[in-house]
Amino acid sequence: MRAARLFALLDRLRISRTPVSAVELAELTGVSQRTIYRDMASLQAMGAPIRGEGGIGYQMEKGHFLPPLHFDEDELDAIAIGMQLVAARGDGALGRAADRVTAKLEAVLPPGDRGRVRQSRMIARSSPTTAGPFLATLRSAVKRRIKLEVVYSDFAGNLST
C-alpha cells in the first residue's frame, strides 16, 4: 500500500509544472498531511529529485527526469489502445514505430505486467481511410513546418481546398 502511494506521489509530481501542496497530495492519496511529509522525506532520502518548501509545496527539481516506475491497469489499457490505433490508422512508418514502442515498453515492464500491452483484452478497431497514403507526407510537413494545400471531397463528392 505504501509503495503504491509513493509511486502515485512521484507520478503526480512528474506531471505538474507547479509545486503541489501537501494538502493536495494528502487528498489524492487519502492519507494525512503528516504522512505526506514522511513520505516525501523518504522519497528524498532514496534520491528522488524532489524539493519542498513550506507553504509552497513539492516539485521535481528542474532538469531531472525520473522514468515511469509503475503503470496501473488503466494506464496499460490506454497504452495498448493507443498503440493499436496508431498501428491501424498511421502510415507504414508510424505503424512500425508503434510496434517498436510496444516492444520497448514490454521489455521494461515488471515481469508480472509483461505481455499486457501486446496481449491486452482491450481491442481498438479502425476502418481503413483514404488518408493513409498521404499521412506520411502530412506528418513530414507538420514536423518541418511546411504549409500544404490540401484538396479533398466530402461524402457528397463536393471538392474543397
Side-chain angles (χ1 to χ4, degrees), residues 83 86-102 139:
M83 291 298 104
V86 169
R89 293 290 240 167
D91 57 66
L94 204 55
R96 288 187 298 278
D99 289 339
R100 290 192 308 273
V101 167
T102 300
R139 284 190 319 114

Side-chain angles (χ1 to χ4, degrees), residues 7 11 14 65-71 75 79 105 108-110:
F7 283 128
D11 284 342
R14 182 183 294 111
F65 171 75
L66 284 178
L69 303 171
H70 171 74
F71 292 105
E75 291 167 338
I79 292 167
L105 180 62
V108 298
L109 286 173

Side-chain angles (χ1 to χ4, degrees), residues 70-81 84 102 105-106 109-122:
H70 171 74
F71 292 105
D72 65 29
E73 189 171 327
D74 289 338
E75 291 167 338
L76 287 171
D77 287 344
I79 292 167
I81 290 169
Q84 289 175 27
T102 300
L105 180 62
E106 291 278 359
L109 286 173
D113 288 336
R114 289 196 184 131
R116 294 266 325 268
V117 176
R118 286 181 196 248
Q119 299 161 355
S120 174
R121 296 175 311 236
M122 306 302 287

Side-chain angles (χ1 to χ4, degrees), residues 21-22 24-25 30 43 49-50 57 64 75 80 97 101 107-108 115 118 120 135 142:
S21 70
E24 184 179 339
L25 294 171
L43 287 169
I50 299 168
H64 284 83
E75 291 167 338
V101 167
V108 298
R118 286 181 196 248
S120 174
L135 189 56
V142 169

Side-chain angles (χ1 to χ4, degrees), residues 129-140:
T129 176
T130 58
F134 308 105
L135 189 56
T137 302
L138 292 171
R139 284 190 319 114
S140 176

Side-chain angles (χ1 to χ4, degrees), residues 31-83:
V31 297
S32 69
Q33 288 182 54
R34 185 173 174 88
T35 299
I36 294 298
Y37 298 143
R38 284 193 298 263
D39 286 350
M40 297 310 272
S42 294
L43 287 169
Q44 289 168 329
M46 288 187 275
I50 299 168
R51 68 169 189 249
E53 191 171 329
I56 303 282
Y58 295 96
Q59 189 172 21
M60 289 280 189
E61 291 182 13
K62 297 219 183 295
H64 284 83
F65 171 75
L66 284 178
L69 303 171
H70 171 74
F71 292 105
D72 65 29
E73 189 171 327
D74 289 338
E75 291 167 338
L76 287 171
D77 287 344
I79 292 167
I81 290 169
M83 291 298 104

